[in-house]
Amino acid sequence: MDIDAWVWWLVGATGLGIGLVITAMPELGMLAVGAVAASVTAGIFGGDAVFQVLVFVIISTALIAVVRPIANRHRVQRPQFASGVDALKGRQAVVLERVDGSGGRIKLAGEVWSARALDTARTFEVGEEVDVVEIEGATAIVM
């Protein structure tokens, strides 16, 4: 029983896909797409083995050359927007109760927060605007 070449390419693509899932190496996924392209080439166009391997190499290399740099760039980029407590850093707040090195209260983003002065010698009085430098637990560190 002779198995067609396109079936072997699909078997190879499946093996690469399983490797992708096990190792989480995206390059294996790109190689799997190249194997599928070679399978389509073998199934539709027939083509000899050299042509099929050439399609596999070209598609796989093109995907790795194009997709990998884009993925790396997105991996190292910081998110465009901040959320949670990160979104509160750098915002302004209004002092509701005197804030000093030991504590106080501020209104930040429509909510009442406990606050502490970054500079322990500094005191902020009611009504003053302060900048949030850091959030530690449920306490805003202000200056």
Side-chain angles (χ1 to χ4, degrees), residues 9-21:
W9 283 109
L10 283 182
V11 169
T14 303
L16 289 166
I18 290 170
L20 166 68
V21 171

Side-chain angles (χ1 to χ4, degrees), residues 44-131:
I44 294 176
F45 303 113
D48 62 345
V50 173
F51 183 63
Q52 295 168 21
V53 169
L54 191 61
V55 167
F56 169 74
V57 169
I58 290 172
I59 297 295
S60 298
T61 304
L63 283 172
I64 290 172
V66 172
V67 174
R68 196 164 181 232
I70 294 170
N72 283 338
R73 187 170 45 248
H74 285 285
R75 187 174 49 96
V76 297
Q77 256 182 355
R78 294 195 70 208
Q80 296 286 333
F81 62 94
S83 61
V85 294
D86 289 332
L88 300 175
K89 294 176 186 175
R91 297 201 45 192
Q92 287 193 333
V94 177
V95 176
L96 298 177
E97 293 176 13
R98 181 181 164 163
V99 175
D100 55 22
S102 61
R105 296 242 180 251
I106 60 170
K107 186 164 192 168
L108 172 62
E111 297 178 345
V112 177
W113 281 73
S114 61
R116 185 173 84 238
L118 178 65
D119 179 7
T120 55
R122 183 83 196 268
T123 302
F124 300 98
E125 298 300 329
V126 175
E128 279 188 70
E129 285 192 357
V130 292
D131 293 321

